[in-house]
Amino acid sequence: MKAQAGTIYLVGAGPGDPKLITVHGREVLESADAVVHDRLISPELLKLARVDARIEDAGKAPGRASRSQEDINDLLIALARAGHSVCRLKGGDPFVFGRGGEEVLAARAAGIPVVVVPGISSALAGPAAADVPVTHRGVESSFTVVTGHDAQAAAGVDWARIAGTPGSIVVLMGVGNLGTIAGKLIEGGRPPDEPVRVVERATLPGQRALSGTLATIEQLAQEAELQAPAVIVVGPVAGVLNEAETT
Ligand code: SAH
């Protein structure tokens, strides 16, 4: 399906591997007049855009460190108003910690049609790519996805409640706060020997994964110098297909 003039498409690019975009997402990307992409989008994917498409890095502002969300909204609306079909390419799924909802609201307020094309979130692809079934018969029947971004702040995520909720825990944006998060989950009642797996650069070249427990994972991740982007999975599911220790 060809992208329509004057329309904004919020397209989930998937977790990293360019093959993990959806067919619909790829069709929009290949036909759009303009592509406004997130910072972490694979260069391979951007090669699929039309040679004459206008390509904008949403993370980069002319002459400034980065564009604000408001600037990005304005850019999307201006491009659509100029009659372009706009592919707003976002990592993973547009609505999982992607500020996609804000872009939909801004476009609607401006009277611009928006189409959302879901993507495979790293919250699911990260664990899957490193052999962690987020649910497993007889082990866990639910999972919670949470941001670890503000784990050191007093306000924000209620970690005691997350710890007390049955099920696997998937943490995005948390690798810089791994020790704090593990500590809060133990304080909240999760056993110190609960399995944890951290997946760095999931589905991308150089993907690495590390297995430990709530008590050991911070040290292991430090030794391995694990960095963002990474997904953390906490719970017995992390050990179902993986032995603890590095892989
Ligand atoms: N909308 C995105 C998430 C944006 S928040 C999605 O649905 O996937 C950014 C966080 O996503 C990163 O800090 C990291 O925790 C996670 N992430 C994104 N891509 C990743 C990848 N290839 N490997 C591991 N984690 C990733």
Side-chain angles (χ1 to χ4, degrees), residues 132-144 163 165-170 190-191 194-195 233-238 240:
V132 180
V134 286
T135 67
H136 191 73
R137 194 174 159 84
V139 177
E140 212 63 276
S141 56
S142 64
F143 58 95
T144 300
T165 304
S168 316
I169 304 169
V170 178
R190 293 284 177 134
E194 179 137 308
V233 200
V234 179
V237 293
V240 164

Side-chain angles (χ1 to χ4, degrees), residues 15 91-93 96-98 121-123 172-173 199-202 204 229-231:
D93 181 87
V96 178
F97 302 123
S121 177
S122 62
L172 301 191
M173 296 178 277
V199 192
E200 179 193 72
R201 292 179 55 80
L204 288 165
V231 176

